[in-house]
Amino acid sequence: MDTLVRPDTYEIAALSAECGVDAVKYSREKGKPAFALTRPPGHHAGPDYGMGFCYFNNISIAAEHLLNTGDQSIAIVDFDVHHGNGTEDVFGNRADVLYISTHQAGIFPGTGSVDFLGNDDGKGFTINIPLPSGCGDSTFHSAYSKVITPIVRQFRPDAILVSFGVDGHYRDPLASLSLSSNGHLAMAKELLLLSKECGNRITFFLEGGYDVPALSEVVAATVGEFIGVEVPLEFTDITDKHCLGRSAVERCSKNASEYWSL
Ligand SMILES: [Zn+2]
């Protein structure tokens, strides 16, 4: 329905996946952050299906490339407003890839329950933080400080890959979280800081984001951060002042604390 196939779709989707592989190779070779400005996006595509504008799971293909060429462990952090069901499907039963997703609860694709923490050997290596509509900067700050940062640090990945969606922005027409541009940049900065513990090996992958001005300034500010250039931000309204998602974050933390020290 929303993932049309045209004569050149295969070639374009393959180029997008290849861009991700090139980006992680660059990051590994140079010890620097990279940003794969890919379209189409990837995190809804599973091992044998496409959906939600995604054909190939760019971030999973890049993670698999790293694992097949010497790396032992990869952390994938996904802050697109939608759950990355495809990525979870690819790695949900494995312990070599940690997958952590923050997403709006109850919207497309309907997966990403806080009670799913992985299957078989992968138990504890999938962390889902579904959040009620309206959650924004203070809720995400809490999710990073209480759950995401401590778990990534304990996992000690060889590299961090980020599903970078900007559809959790308050301007986005497809969903109803309330992150500001500053809130997005704060997450990018936190992940860049974490990546100093793994040789600056971090690669951002563009996923969703349907308000182009917000998408543009958040991506530009993140890339600016790589090279120490501050990009002025326009969309900085703060609506979630009192941590609307506090109980959702606490519930996730309680579940995850069976596997991680939180
Ligand atoms: Zn999305």
Side-chain angles (χ1 to χ4, degrees):
M1 294 290 287
D2 54 12
T3 314
L4 303 179
V5 175
R6 296 173 184 278
D8 51 2
T9 297
Y10 176 86
E11 194 185 349
I12 293 168
L15 276 172
S16 182
E18 192 178 348
C19 172
V21 172
D22 283 348
V24 294
K25 282 164 125 175
Y26 171 90
S27 178
R28 178 160 63 188
E29 278 162 22
K30 307 278 186 190
K32 287 182 179 174
F35 203 128
L37 283 170
T38 52
R39 279 287 184 262
H43 75 154
H44 295 307
D48 60 356
Y49 59 88
M51 64 185 272
F53 318 142
C54 302
Y55 300 84
F56 298 128
N57 193 311
N58 306 322
I59 202 165
S60 297
I61 290 167
E64 201 71 83
H65 170 81
L66 291 175
L67 293 166
N68 288 337
T69 52
D71 284 323
Q72 306 294 315
S73 59
I74 304 295
I76 298 179
V77 179
D78 184 335
F79 59 68
D80 187 278
V81 78
H82 303 100
H83 178 240
N85 60 296
T87 311
E88 182 182 274
D89 262 1
V90 174
F91 296 119
N93 61 354
R94 286 167 48 173
D96 53 353
V97 177
L98 170 70
Y99 177 64
I100 306 184
S101 173
T102 45
H103 46 273
Q104 186 181 338
I107 62 169
F108 180 88
T111 50
S113 161
V114 67
D115 293 322
F116 180 76
L117 288 108
N119 287 321
D120 307 323
D121 292 345
K123 278 211 168 77
F125 295 96
T126 295
I127 306 290
N128 284 316
I129 314 177
L131 299 167
S133 70
C135 286
D137 296 12
S138 65
T139 296
F140 278 81
H141 176 75
S142 163
Y144 275 76
S145 62
K146 295 197 166 119
V147 178
I148 300 170
T149 298
I151 292 179
V152 172
R153 193 165 269 148
Q154 286 165 54
F155 183 63
R156 297 174 59 86
D158 289 328
I160 299 170
L161 310 186
V162 183
S163 270
F164 191 104
V166 188
D167 41 8
H169 201 284
Y170 65 77
R171 285 177 55 97
D172 196 89
L174 290 200
S176 50
L177 291 187
S178 69
L179 276 163
S180 70
S181 294
N182 283 327
H184 282 95
L185 187 61
M187 293 190 282
K189 282 183 176 174
E190 174 76 4
L191 292 165
L192 282 163
L193 201 61
L194 261 177
S195 75
K196 297 206 178 307
E197 296 172 25
C198 56
N200 299 314
R201 289 191 51 201
I202 183 165
T203 303
F204 298 86
F205 289 70
L206 190 61
E207 301 281 3
Y210 307 95
D211 179 79
V212 173
L215 176 73
S216 307
E217 72 171 18
V218 169
V219 169
T222 298
V223 175
E225 200 59 38
F226 295 3
I227 53 173
V229 171
E230 200 173 322
V231 173
L233 298 172
E234 193 179 336
F235 307 120
T236 56
D237 299 357
I238 304 288
T239 52
D240 177 13
K241 290 198 177 79
H242 304 293
C243 198
L244 269 175
R246 179 177 287 117
S247 62
V249 172
E250 277 167 8
R251 182 151 173 224
C252 173
S253 170
K254 186 164 172 282
N255 282 354
S257 63
E258 197 181 322
Y259 302 94
W260 305 94
S261 111
L262 297 175

